[in-house]
Amino acid sequence: MSPPSPVQLINGVEFLLWLAGRRQRLVVYHRSMVPTLQPGDEILFNPRSYTQRRPQPGEIIVLVHPQQPGLPLVKRVERILEEKIWVVGDNGEASTDSRQFGAVDLPQVLGQVTCIFSRPVLAVPLKPPARR
Amino acid sequence: MMNLQFITRLIQHYKPATAAVSAHCDGPCGVYDPSSARIAAEAVLSMTKKILDLQPPAAGDVTARVAYENTISRYIAIKEEQAQITKDELLILWTDYFKPQHLEQFPDLHTTFWQAAKLCSSCKVEVSQQHASDLMSAVEKIHSMFWATKNREVAWYTAS
């Protein structure tokens, strides 16, 4: 099995798109996307990625947890199923994903992760926010 | 000249992202323990008993009536809140902790959680000591399932 494709580090174009408000910045916590994304990484995602097309297998997306509407997740698209997608974490041992909550409806996808905005020099595991 | 990653690192340091996204997982994201559901369910049972035991004031006693209504309102609010907390805690265990292999170990796992969640709702809607006691029993069953999946023997106990 080939290793998961990495996410590129930020470049000038992505930085300008962020400044222009075309990208949103999020900080990652938890370890289900290790090694691709580390806790503490800040990422950019494009909320308009899927207005004209569907997510494709291999892409990393931001989505809403199907059973916890207030909880955004970052996962990798594994396959497309009709009007749904199957998502998994790159760190399968430590991931809660479609294997537990099933396929995700397309409207729950918020956008595609485009790059790592910043990675802390010293990885400091972040505490998750309060659950309620 | 400063490179872009240095700039973004400075931004992250001085103005970190306020929104978070979860690479959701089980082990590293915290400690799961059904005791948090048990404590809330105990509060539901306690408040239900207090509501049922509270005697209404004599007719015409305005001061006693105000005190009664204040007390009963507080009991109801706490019952409502704690029943919701019980449901939240159970749903976290159900959706986040338990995995398909646990379903093989406990084929009635889904039914158990579903009925427990329904009991949380019943305890909000009603003032039923029977349903509050049933909720405690459901949480006890989940306690047993949970610790069995960890091959640990943790005795059931209550605070009250």
mmCIF file of all heavy atoms in Angstrom, chain B residues 63-112:
data_model
loop_
_atom_site.group_PDB
_atom_site.id
_atom_site.type_symbol
_atom_site.label_atom_id
_atom_site.label_comp_id
_atom_site.label_asym_id
_atom_site.label_seq_id
_atom_site.Cartn_x
_atom_site.Cartn_y
_atom_site.Cartn_z
ATOM 1 N N THR B 63 -46.253 33.650 50.182
ATOM 2 C CA THR B 63 -44.802 33.504 50.381
ATOM 3 C C THR B 63 -44.366 32.057 50.145
ATOM 4 O O THR B 63 -43.376 31.792 49.455
ATOM 5 C CB THR B 63 -44.427 33.935 51.810
ATOM 6 O OG1 THR B 63 -44.909 35.259 52.024
ATOM 7 C CG2 THR B 63 -42.919 33.906 51.997
ATOM 8 N N ALA B 64 -45.128 31.138 50.717
ATOM 9 C CA ALA B 64 -44.787 29.721 50.549
ATOM 10 C C ALA B 64 -44.934 29.303 49.090
ATOM 11 O O ALA B 64 -44.158 28.480 48.579
ATOM 12 C CB ALA B 64 -45.690 28.866 51.437
ATOM 13 N N ARG B 65 -45.908 29.891 48.401
ATOM 14 C CA ARG B 65 -46.122 29.545 46.992
ATOM 15 C C ARG B 65 -44.946 30.010 46.124
ATOM 16 O O ARG B 65 -44.481 29.279 45.238
ATOM 17 C CB ARG B 65 -47.419 30.191 46.499
ATOM 18 C CG ARG B 65 -47.778 29.777 45.087
ATOM 19 C CD ARG B 65 -49.061 30.412 44.637
ATOM 20 N NE ARG B 65 -49.046 30.606 43.187
ATOM 21 C CZ ARG B 65 -49.825 31.441 42.536
ATOM 22 N NH1 ARG B 65 -50.677 32.194 43.205
ATOM 23 N NH2 ARG B 65 -49.769 31.547 41.238
ATOM 24 N N VAL B 66 -44.474 31.216 46.423
ATOM 25 C CA VAL B 66 -43.326 31.727 45.673
ATOM 26 C C VAL B 66 -42.112 30.826 45.913
ATOM 27 O O VAL B 66 -41.390 30.460 44.977
ATOM 28 C CB VAL B 66 -43.023 33.182 46.079
ATOM 29 C CG1 VAL B 66 -41.670 33.631 45.526
ATOM 30 C CG2 VAL B 66 -44.132 34.098 45.603
ATOM 31 N N ALA B 67 -41.899 30.476 47.180
ATOM 32 C CA ALA B 67 -40.760 29.615 47.512
ATOM 33 C C ALA B 67 -40.898 28.257 46.832
ATOM 34 O O ALA B 67 -39.923 27.702 46.290
ATOM 35 C CB ALA B 67 -40.660 29.444 49.025
ATOM 36 N N TYR B 68 -42.114 27.722 46.823
ATOM 37 C CA TYR B 68 -42.356 26.422 46.197
ATOM 38 C C TYR B 68 -42.057 26.481 44.696
ATOM 39 O O TYR B 68 -41.371 25.609 44.148
ATOM 40 C CB TYR B 68 -43.813 26.011 46.432
ATOM 41 C CG TYR B 68 -44.253 24.814 45.620
ATOM 42 C CD1 TYR B 68 -43.966 23.515 46.049
ATOM 43 C CD2 TYR B 68 -44.944 24.972 44.418
ATOM 44 C CE1 TYR B 68 -44.355 22.421 45.301
ATOM 45 C CE2 TYR B 68 -45.332 23.886 43.671
ATOM 46 C CZ TYR B 68 -45.037 22.600 44.111
ATOM 47 O OH TYR B 68 -45.421 21.514 43.364
ATOM 48 N N GLU B 69 -42.568 27.501 44.061
ATOM 49 C CA GLU B 69 -42.386 27.598 42.606
ATOM 50 C C GLU B 69 -40.913 27.806 42.245
ATOM 51 O O GLU B 69 -40.427 27.289 41.232
ATOM 52 C CB GLU B 69 -43.258 28.721 42.038
ATOM 53 C CG GLU B 69 -44.731 28.338 42.087
ATOM 54 C CD GLU B 69 -45.653 29.401 41.499
ATOM 55 O OE1 GLU B 69 -45.171 30.513 41.218
ATOM 56 O OE2 GLU B 69 -46.845 29.104 41.349
ATOM 57 N N ASN B 70 -40.228 28.555 43.092
ATOM 58 C CA ASN B 70 -38.794 28.739 42.853
ATOM 59 C C ASN B 70 -38.065 27.399 42.967
ATOM 60 O O ASN B 70 -37.239 27.032 42.114
ATOM 61 C CB ASN B 70 -38.225 29.736 43.865
ATOM 62 C CG ASN B 70 -36.739 29.979 43.630
ATOM 63 O OD1 ASN B 70 -36.351 30.426 42.565
ATOM 64 N ND2 ASN B 70 -35.914 29.641 44.617
ATOM 65 N N THR B 71 -38.385 26.661 44.007
ATOM 66 C CA THR B 71 -37.698 25.386 44.242
ATOM 67 C C THR B 71 -38.021 24.375 43.142
ATOM 68 O O THR B 71 -37.124 23.719 42.591
ATOM 69 C CB THR B 71 -38.106 24.821 45.614
ATOM 70 O OG1 THR B 71 -37.769 25.776 46.608
ATOM 71 C CG2 THR B 71 -37.384 23.519 45.912
ATOM 72 N N ILE B 72 -39.296 24.265 42.808
ATOM 73 C CA ILE B 72 -39.673 23.264 41.793
ATOM 74 C C ILE B 72 -39.071 23.623 40.436
ATOM 75 O O ILE B 72 -38.659 22.749 39.674
ATOM 76 C CB ILE B 72 -41.216 23.115 41.717
ATOM 77 C CG1 ILE B 72 -41.592 21.814 40.981
ATOM 78 C CG2 ILE B 72 -41.895 24.257 40.993
ATOM 79 C CD1 ILE B 72 -41.759 20.661 41.881
ATOM 80 N N SER B 73 -38.985 24.938 40.163
ATOM 81 C CA SER B 73 -38.383 25.365 38.893
ATOM 82 C C SER B 73 -36.914 24.965 38.837
ATOM 83 O O SER B 73 -36.412 24.507 37.796
ATOM 84 C CB SER B 73 -38.495 26.879 38.726
ATOM 85 O OG SER B 73 -39.839 27.266 38.731
ATOM 86 N N ARG B 74 -36.236 25.154 39.955
ATOM 87 C CA ARG B 74 -34.817 24.779 39.985
ATOM 88 C C ARG B 74 -34.654 23.270 39.828
ATOM 89 O O ARG B 74 -33.789 22.803 39.099
ATOM 90 C CB ARG B 74 -34.172 25.234 41.301
ATOM 91 C CG ARG B 74 -34.122 26.746 41.461
ATOM 92 C CD ARG B 74 -33.323 27.141 42.684
ATOM 93 N NE ARG B 74 -31.925 26.767 42.538
ATOM 94 C CZ ARG B 74 -31.193 26.212 43.491
ATOM 95 N NH1 ARG B 74 -31.713 25.972 44.672
ATOM 96 N NH2 ARG B 74 -29.942 25.897 43.282
ATOM 97 N N TYR B 75 -35.489 22.491 40.492
ATOM 98 C CA TYR B 75 -35.398 21.025 40.382
ATOM 99 C C TYR B 75 -35.614 20.591 38.927
ATOM 100 O O TYR B 75 -34.905 19.741 38.401
ATOM 101 C CB TYR B 75 -36.458 20.363 41.270
ATOM 102 C CG TYR B 75 -36.191 20.421 42.762
ATOM 103 C CD1 TYR B 75 -37.130 19.937 43.672
ATOM 104 C CD2 TYR B 75 -35.003 20.941 43.271
ATOM 105 C CE1 TYR B 75 -36.918 19.978 45.034
ATOM 106 C CE2 TYR B 75 -34.785 20.994 44.637
ATOM 107 C CZ TYR B 75 -35.734 20.515 45.518
ATOM 108 O OH TYR B 75 -35.520 20.557 46.872
ATOM 109 N N ILE B 76 -36.605 21.190 38.298
ATOM 110 C CA ILE B 76 -36.926 20.813 36.913
ATOM 111 C C ILE B 76 -35.781 21.211 35.975
ATOM 112 O O ILE B 76 -35.377 20.440 35.097
ATOM 113 C CB ILE B 76 -38.252 21.473 36.471
ATOM 114 C CG1 ILE B 76 -39.414 20.870 37.261
ATOM 115 C CG2 ILE B 76 -38.474 21.293 34.967
ATOM 116 C CD1 ILE B 76 -40.724 21.639 37.126
ATOM 117 N N ALA B 77 -35.251 22.414 36.188
ATOM 118 C CA ALA B 77 -34.157 22.873 35.316
ATOM 119 C C ALA B 77 -32.943 21.960 35.441
ATOM 120 O O ALA B 77 -32.303 21.603 34.436
ATOM 121 C CB ALA B 77 -33.780 24.317 35.672
ATOM 122 N N ILE B 78 -32.634 21.560 36.668
ATOM 123 C CA ILE B 78 -31.467 20.687 36.875
ATOM 124 C C ILE B 78 -31.733 19.304 36.283
ATOM 125 O O ILE B 78 -30.849 18.704 35.645
ATOM 126 C CB ILE B 78 -31.119 20.594 38.383
ATOM 127 C CG1 ILE B 78 -30.662 21.963 38.886
ATOM 128 C CG2 ILE B 78 -30.043 19.550 38.629
ATOM 129 C CD1 ILE B 78 -30.598 22.079 40.397
ATOM 130 N N LYS B 79 -32.937 18.804 36.453
ATOM 131 C CA LYS B 79 -33.281 17.498 35.864
ATOM 132 C C LYS B 79 -33.114 17.541 34.346
ATOM 133 O O LYS B 79 -32.530 16.637 33.742
ATOM 134 C CB LYS B 79 -34.720 17.126 36.239
ATOM 135 C CG LYS B 79 -35.212 15.825 35.597
ATOM 136 C CD LYS B 79 -36.567 15.418 36.129
ATOM 137 C CE LYS B 79 -37.715 16.244 35.579
ATOM 138 N NZ LYS B 79 -38.023 16.001 34.161
ATOM 139 N N GLU B 80 -33.628 18.603 33.757
ATOM 140 C CA GLU B 80 -33.528 18.765 32.299
ATOM 141 C C GLU B 80 -32.057 18.810 31.852
ATOM 142 O O GLU B 80 -31.651 18.115 30.914
ATOM 143 C CB GLU B 80 -34.232 20.079 31.909
ATOM 144 C CG GLU B 80 -34.260 20.377 30.435
ATOM 145 C CD GLU B 80 -35.469 19.770 29.735
ATOM 146 O OE1 GLU B 80 -36.377 19.271 30.451
ATOM 147 O OE2 GLU B 80 -35.489 19.763 28.507
ATOM 148 N N GLU B 81 -31.296 19.628 32.545
ATOM 149 C CA GLU B 81 -29.890 19.806 32.178
ATOM 150 C C GLU B 81 -29.100 18.504 32.332
ATOM 151 O O GLU B 81 -28.334 18.119 31.447
ATOM 152 C CB GLU B 81 -29.282 20.890 33.073
ATOM 153 C CG GLU B 81 -27.807 21.113 32.878
ATOM 154 C CD GLU B 81 -27.217 21.936 34.021
ATOM 155 O OE1 GLU B 81 -27.182 21.429 35.164
ATOM 156 O OE2 GLU B 81 -26.826 23.078 33.776
ATOM 157 N N GLN B 82 -29.301 17.827 33.463
ATOM 158 C CA GLN B 82 -28.523 16.616 33.724
ATOM 159 C C GLN B 82 -28.924 15.471 32.800
ATOM 160 O O GLN B 82 -28.089 14.633 32.441
ATOM 161 C CB GLN B 82 -28.673 16.214 35.200
ATOM 162 C CG GLN B 82 -28.079 17.221 36.173
ATOM 163 C CD GLN B 82 -26.566 17.386 35.996
ATOM 164 O OE1 GLN B 82 -25.845 16.426 35.768
ATOM 165 N NE2 GLN B 82 -26.086 18.626 36.077
ATOM 166 N N ALA B 83 -30.191 15.422 32.416
ATOM 167 C CA ALA B 83 -30.617 14.389 31.457
ATOM 168 C C ALA B 83 -29.942 14.621 30.108
ATOM 169 O O ALA B 83 -29.531 13.668 29.427
ATOM 170 C CB ALA B 83 -32.134 14.402 31.308
ATOM 171 N N GLN B 84 -29.810 15.886 29.726
ATOM 172 C CA GLN B 84 -29.136 16.185 28.453
ATOM 173 C C GLN B 84 -27.653 15.842 28.551
ATOM 174 O O GLN B 84 -27.066 15.309 27.599
ATOM 175 C CB GLN B 84 -29.320 17.665 28.088
ATOM 176 C CG GLN B 84 -28.738 18.041 26.733
ATOM 177 C CD GLN B 84 -29.375 17.254 25.581
ATOM 178 O OE1 GLN B 84 -30.598 17.106 25.530
ATOM 179 N NE2 GLN B 84 -28.555 16.729 24.685
ATOM 180 N N ILE B 85 -27.044 16.146 29.701
ATOM 181 C CA ILE B 85 -25.629 15.792 29.887
ATOM 182 C C ILE B 85 -25.455 14.272 29.810
ATOM 183 O O ILE B 85 -24.519 13.769 29.183
ATOM 184 C CB ILE B 85 -25.106 16.345 31.237
ATOM 185 C CG1 ILE B 85 -25.023 17.874 31.173
ATOM 186 C CG2 ILE B 85 -23.756 15.740 31.594
ATOM 187 C CD1 ILE B 85 -24.701 18.541 32.495
ATOM 188 N N THR B 86 -26.375 13.543 30.444
ATOM 189 C CA THR B 86 -26.296 12.075 30.377
ATOM 190 C C THR B 86 -26.338 11.616 28.926
ATOM 191 O O THR B 86 -25.531 10.781 28.497
ATOM 192 C CB THR B 86 -27.474 11.438 31.148
ATOM 193 O OG1 THR B 86 -27.573 12.020 32.440
ATOM 194 C CG2 THR B 86 -27.286 9.939 31.279
ATOM 195 N N LYS B 87 -27.276 12.195 28.177
ATOM 196 C CA LYS B 87 -27.394 11.797 26.768
ATOM 197 C C LYS B 87 -26.119 12.139 25.996
ATOM 198 O O LYS B 87 -25.603 11.309 25.231
ATOM 199 C CB LYS B 87 -28.595 12.497 26.132
ATOM 200 C CG LYS B 87 -28.853 12.044 24.702
ATOM 201 C CD LYS B 87 -29.903 12.893 24.016
ATOM 202 C CE LYS B 87 -31.305 12.411 24.262
ATOM 203 N NZ LYS B 87 -32.301 13.170 23.463
ATOM 204 N N ASP B 88 -25.587 13.331 26.203
ATOM 205 C CA ASP B 88 -24.360 13.731 25.506
ATOM 206 C C ASP B 88 -23.216 12.767 25.823
ATOM 207 O O ASP B 88 -22.465 12.346 24.935
ATOM 208 C CB ASP B 88 -23.952 15.154 25.916
ATOM 209 C CG ASP B 88 -24.908 16.206 25.384
ATOM 210 O OD1 ASP B 88 -25.683 15.896 24.464
ATOM 211 O OD2 ASP B 88 -24.889 17.338 25.904
ATOM 212 N N GLU B 89 -23.074 12.455 27.091
ATOM 213 C CA GLU B 89 -21.963 11.577 27.490
ATOM 214 C C GLU B 89 -22.124 10.186 26.892
ATOM 215 O O GLU B 89 -21.149 9.562 26.468
ATOM 216 C CB GLU B 89 -21.877 11.497 29.022
ATOM 217 C CG GLU B 89 -21.509 12.806 29.700
ATOM 218 C CD GLU B 89 -20.080 13.243 29.398
ATOM 219 O OE1 GLU B 89 -19.290 12.412 28.904
ATOM 220 O OE2 GLU B 89 -19.755 14.420 29.643
ATOM 221 N N LEU B 90 -23.365 9.696 26.870
ATOM 222 C CA LEU B 90 -23.600 8.375 26.292
ATOM 223 C C LEU B 90 -23.331 8.383 24.790
ATOM 224 O O LEU B 90 -22.734 7.444 24.255
ATOM 225 C CB LEU B 90 -25.048 7.937 26.567
ATOM 226 C CG LEU B 90 -25.386 7.629 28.034
ATOM 227 C CD1 LEU B 90 -26.870 7.305 28.181
ATOM 228 C CD2 LEU B 90 -24.542 6.472 28.559
ATOM 229 N N LEU B 91 -23.755 9.444 24.124
ATOM 230 C CA LEU B 91 -23.556 9.503 22.672
ATOM 231 C C LEU B 91 -22.073 9.590 22.321
ATOM 232 O O LEU B 91 -21.632 9.038 21.310
ATOM 233 C CB LEU B 91 -24.325 10.691 22.073
ATOM 234 C CG LEU B 91 -25.857 10.582 22.159
ATOM 235 C CD1 LEU B 91 -26.515 11.762 21.455
ATOM 236 C CD2 LEU B 91 -26.371 9.276 21.570
ATOM 237 N N ILE B 92 -21.301 10.271 23.166
ATOM 238 C CA ILE B 92 -19.850 10.329 22.932
ATOM 239 C C ILE B 92 -19.247 8.925 23.035
ATOM 240 O O ILE B 92 -18.449 8.507 22.199
ATOM 241 C CB ILE B 92 -19.179 11.302 23.924
ATOM 242 C CG1 ILE B 92 -19.510 12.746 23.549
ATOM 243 C CG2 ILE B 92 -17.664 11.097 23.951
ATOM 244 C CD1 ILE B 92 -19.168 13.757 24.615
ATOM 245 N N LEU B 93 -19.669 8.196 24.060
ATOM 246 C CA LEU B 93 -19.165 6.822 24.189
ATOM 247 C C LEU B 93 -19.582 5.982 22.985
ATOM 248 O O LEU B 93 -18.782 5.236 22.409
ATOM 249 C CB LEU B 93 -19.721 6.176 25.464
ATOM 250 C CG LEU B 93 -19.168 6.650 26.801
ATOM 251 C CD1 LEU B 93 -19.925 5.969 27.931
ATOM 252 C CD2 LEU B 93 -17.679 6.340 26.912
ATOM 253 N N TRP B 94 -20.850 6.117 22.622
ATOM 254 C CA TRP B 94 -21.409 5.288 21.541
ATOM 255 C C TRP B 94 -20.704 5.564 20.218
ATOM 256 O O TRP B 94 -20.261 4.646 19.517
ATOM 257 C CB TRP B 94 -22.902 5.578 21.435
ATOM 258 C CG TRP B 94 -23.679 4.663 20.523
ATOM 259 C CD1 TRP B 94 -23.255 3.511 19.917
ATOM 260 C CD2 TRP B 94 -25.044 4.833 20.128
ATOM 261 N NE1 TRP B 94 -24.270 2.975 19.172
ATOM 262 C CE2 TRP B 94 -25.377 3.752 19.279
ATOM 263 C CE3 TRP B 94 -26.020 5.792 20.401
ATOM 264 C CZ2 TRP B 94 -26.647 3.622 18.720
ATOM 265 C CZ3 TRP B 94 -27.279 5.654 19.845
ATOM 266 C CH2 TRP B 94 -27.581 4.576 19.014
ATOM 267 N N THR B 95 -20.608 6.843 19.878
ATOM 268 C CA THR B 95 -20.103 7.170 18.538
ATOM 269 C C THR B 95 -18.585 7.269 18.485
ATOM 270 O O THR B 95 -18.004 7.067 17.426
ATOM 271 C CB THR B 95 -20.692 8.506 18.044
ATOM 272 O OG1 THR B 95 -20.356 9.543 18.970
ATOM 273 C CG2 THR B 95 -22.197 8.434 17.916
ATOM 274 N N ASP B 96 -17.948 7.601 19.595
ATOM 275 C CA ASP B 96 -16.505 7.841 19.541
ATOM 276 C C ASP B 96 -15.698 6.665 20.094
ATOM 277 O O ASP B 96 -14.649 6.331 19.549
ATOM 278 C CB ASP B 96 -16.132 9.097 20.340
ATOM 279 C CG ASP B 96 -16.678 10.358 19.698
ATOM 280 O OD1 ASP B 96 -17.378 10.237 18.684
ATOM 281 O OD2 ASP B 96 -16.420 11.449 20.221
ATOM 282 N N TYR B 97 -16.154 6.099 21.202
ATOM 283 C CA TYR B 97 -15.335 5.051 21.810
ATOM 284 C C TYR B 97 -15.586 3.685 21.178
ATOM 285 O O TYR B 97 -14.652 2.999 20.766
ATOM 286 C CB TYR B 97 -15.579 4.969 23.327
ATOM 287 C CG TYR B 97 -14.890 3.755 23.903
ATOM 288 C CD1 TYR B 97 -13.504 3.720 24.036
ATOM 289 C CD2 TYR B 97 -15.614 2.596 24.226
ATOM 290 C CE1 TYR B 97 -12.849 2.586 24.488
ATOM 291 C CE2 TYR B 97 -14.972 1.455 24.674
ATOM 292 C CZ TYR B 97 -13.594 1.456 24.814
ATOM 293 O OH TYR B 97 -12.953 0.325 25.237
ATOM 294 N N PHE B 98 -16.855 3.281 21.121
ATOM 295 C CA PHE B 98 -17.156 1.914 20.703
ATOM 296 C C PHE B 98 -16.895 1.730 19.209
ATOM 297 O O PHE B 98 -17.195 2.600 18.393
ATOM 298 C CB PHE B 98 -18.593 1.546 21.066
ATOM 299 C CG PHE B 98 -18.751 1.220 22.534
ATOM 300 C CD1 PHE B 98 -19.205 2.179 23.426
ATOM 301 C CD2 PHE B 98 -18.424 -0.033 23.020
ATOM 302 C CE1 PHE B 98 -19.331 1.897 24.779
ATOM 303 C CE2 PHE B 98 -18.543 -0.332 24.369
ATOM 304 C CZ PHE B 98 -18.999 0.641 25.256
ATOM 305 N N LYS B 99 -16.330 0.596 18.882
ATOM 306 C CA LYS B 99 -15.914 0.273 17.524
ATOM 307 C C LYS B 99 -16.648 -0.995 17.055
ATOM 308 O O LYS B 99 -17.249 -1.709 17.854
ATOM 309 C CB LYS B 99 -14.393 0.015 17.503
ATOM 310 C CG LYS B 99 -13.546 1.212 17.910
ATOM 311 C CD LYS B 99 -13.330 2.123 16.720
ATOM 312 C CE LYS B 99 -12.254 3.155 16.980
ATOM 313 N NZ LYS B 99 -12.594 4.161 17.954
ATOM 314 N N PRO B 100 -16.571 -1.294 15.743
ATOM 315 C CA PRO B 100 -17.280 -2.480 15.231
ATOM 316 C C PRO B 100 -16.923 -3.768 15.963
ATOM 317 O O PRO B 100 -17.792 -4.633 16.145
ATOM 318 C CB PRO B 100 -16.839 -2.526 13.767
ATOM 319 C CG PRO B 100 -16.573 -1.099 13.415
ATOM 320 C CD PRO B 100 -15.991 -0.494 14.656
ATOM 321 N N GLN B 101 -15.683 -3.914 16.378
ATOM 322 C CA GLN B 101 -15.324 -5.152 17.069
ATOM 323 C C GLN B 101 -16.058 -5.297 18.405
ATOM 324 O O GLN B 101 -16.304 -6.409 18.876
ATOM 325 C CB GLN B 101 -13.806 -5.258 17.283
ATOM 326 C CG GLN B 101 -13.184 -4.188 18.154
ATOM 327 C CD GLN B 101 -12.642 -3.047 17.324
ATOM 328 O OE1 GLN B 101 -13.176 -2.720 16.259
ATOM 329 N NE2 GLN B 101 -11.571 -2.415 17.784
ATOM 330 N N HIS B 102 -16.416 -4.146 18.994
ATOM 331 C CA HIS B 102 -17.186 -4.205 20.242
ATOM 332 C C HIS B 102 -18.610 -4.683 19.981
ATOM 333 O O HIS B 102 -19.240 -5.300 20.840
ATOM 334 C CB HIS B 102 -17.213 -2.831 20.918
ATOM 335 C CG HIS B 102 -15.853 -2.316 21.261
ATOM 336 N ND1 HIS B 102 -15.490 -0.988 21.135
ATOM 337 C CD2 HIS B 102 -14.744 -2.970 21.707
ATOM 338 C CE1 HIS B 102 -14.220 -0.842 21.498
ATOM 339 N NE2 HIS B 102 -13.755 -2.028 21.839
ATOM 340 N N LEU B 103 -19.095 -4.391 18.787
ATOM 341 C CA LEU B 103 -20.441 -4.846 18.417
ATOM 342 C C LEU B 103 -20.460 -6.369 18.310
ATOM 343 O O LEU B 103 -21.470 -7.009 18.623
ATOM 344 C CB LEU B 103 -20.848 -4.200 17.093
ATOM 345 C CG LEU B 103 -22.307 -4.329 16.671
ATOM 346 C CD1 LEU B 103 -23.238 -3.731 17.714
ATOM 347 C CD2 LEU B 103 -22.524 -3.640 15.326
ATOM 348 N N GLU B 104 -19.338 -6.935 17.887
ATOM 349 C CA GLU B 104 -19.269 -8.405 17.844
ATOM 350 C C GLU B 104 -19.287 -8.967 19.260
ATOM 351 O O GLU B 104 -19.896 -9.997 19.523
ATOM 352 C CB GLU B 104 -17.974 -8.837 17.135
ATOM 353 C CG GLU B 104 -17.956 -8.458 15.657
ATOM 354 C CD GLU B 104 -16.577 -8.639 15.036
ATOM 355 O OE1 GLU B 104 -15.700 -9.262 15.677
ATOM 356 O OE2 GLU B 104 -16.374 -8.139 13.913
ATOM 357 N N GLN B 105 -18.654 -8.236 20.160
ATOM 358 C CA GLN B 105 -18.612 -8.686 21.560
ATOM 359 C C GLN B 105 -19.969 -8.497 22.233
ATOM 360 O O GLN B 105 -20.382 -9.328 23.038
ATOM 361 C CB GLN B 105 -17.531 -7.883 22.306
ATOM 362 C CG GLN B 105 -17.228 -8.378 23.710
ATOM 363 C CD GLN B 105 -16.095 -7.559 24.338
ATOM 364 O OE1 GLN B 105 -15.527 -6.656 23.711
ATOM 365 N NE2 GLN B 105 -15.750 -7.885 25.573
ATOM 366 N N PHE B 106 -20.649 -7.400 21.889
ATOM 367 C CA PHE B 106 -21.960 -7.097 22.482
ATOM 368 C C PHE B 106 -22.953 -6.802 21.357
ATOM 369 O O PHE B 106 -23.127 -5.642 20.962
ATOM 370 C CB PHE B 106 -21.864 -5.888 23.416
ATOM 371 C CG PHE B 106 -20.954 -6.089 24.581
ATOM 372 C CD1 PHE B 106 -19.710 -5.474 24.620
ATOM 373 C CD2 PHE B 106 -21.321 -6.895 25.640
ATOM 374 C CE1 PHE B 106 -18.854 -5.653 25.697
ATOM 375 C CE2 PHE B 106 -20.477 -7.085 26.719
ATOM 376 C CZ PHE B 106 -19.242 -6.465 26.749
ATOM 377 N N PRO B 107 -23.603 -7.832 20.831
ATOM 378 C CA PRO B 107 -24.520 -7.611 19.699
ATOM 379 C C PRO B 107 -25.656 -6.646 20.030
ATOM 380 O O PRO B 107 -26.237 -6.046 19.119
ATOM 381 C CB PRO B 107 -25.056 -9.018 19.413
ATOM 382 C CG PRO B 107 -24.034 -9.945 19.976
ATOM 383 C CD PRO B 107 -23.475 -9.264 21.169
ATOM 384 N N ASP B 108 -26.000 -6.495 21.305
ATOM 385 C CA ASP B 108 -27.089 -5.571 21.666
ATOM 386 C C ASP B 108 -26.574 -4.173 22.018
ATOM 387 O O ASP B 108 -27.298 -3.372 22.619
ATOM 388 C CB ASP B 108 -27.892 -6.131 22.841
ATOM 389 C CG ASP B 108 -27.048 -6.292 24.101
ATOM 390 O OD1 ASP B 108 -25.805 -6.331 23.992
ATOM 391 O OD2 ASP B 108 -27.637 -6.367 25.200
ATOM 392 N N LEU B 109 -25.336 -3.875 21.615
ATOM 393 C CA LEU B 109 -24.741 -2.581 21.969
ATOM 394 C C LEU B 109 -25.573 -1.411 21.436
ATOM 395 O O LEU B 109 -25.896 -0.476 22.174
ATOM 396 C CB LEU B 109 -23.307 -2.523 21.431
ATOM 397 C CG LEU B 109 -22.482 -1.297 21.829
ATOM 398 C CD1 LEU B 109 -21.044 -1.712 22.140
ATOM 399 C CD2 LEU B 109 -22.444 -0.250 20.733
ATOM 400 N N HIS B 110 -25.931 -1.464 20.171
ATOM 401 C CA HIS B 110 -26.689 -0.352 19.580
ATOM 402 C C HIS B 110 -28.049 -0.192 20.277
ATOM 403 O O HIS B 110 -28.469 0.926 20.572
ATOM 404 C CB HIS B 110 -26.890 -0.568 18.082
ATOM 405 C CG HIS B 110 -25.649 -0.334 17.263
ATOM 406 N ND1 HIS B 110 -24.609 0.456 17.697
ATOM 407 C CD2 HIS B 110 -25.284 -0.785 16.040
ATOM 408 C CE1 HIS B 110 -23.662 0.475 16.778
ATOM 409 N NE2 HIS B 110 -24.038 -0.278 15.770
ATOM 410 N N THR B 111 -28.703 -1.314 20.502
ATOM 411 C CA THR B 111 -30.021 -1.251 21.156
ATOM 412 C C THR B 111 -29.890 -0.674 22.561
ATOM 413 O O THR B 111 -30.718 0.140 22.991
ATOM 414 C CB THR B 111 -30.626 -2.667 21.224
ATOM 415 O OG1 THR B 111 -30.644 -3.212 19.913
ATOM 416 C CG2 THR B 111 -32.037 -2.627 21.781
ATOM 417 N N THR B 112 -28.841 -1.078 23.253
ATOM 418 C CA THR B 112 -28.632 -0.588 24.621
ATOM 419 C C THR B 112 -28.466 0.930 24.641
ATOM 420 O O THR B 112 -29.091 1.630 25.450
ATOM 421 C CB THR B 112 -27.384 -1.266 25.234
ATOM 422 O OG1 THR B 112 -27.577 -2.675 25.212
ATOM 423 C CG2 THR B 112 -27.159 -0.796 26.662
#
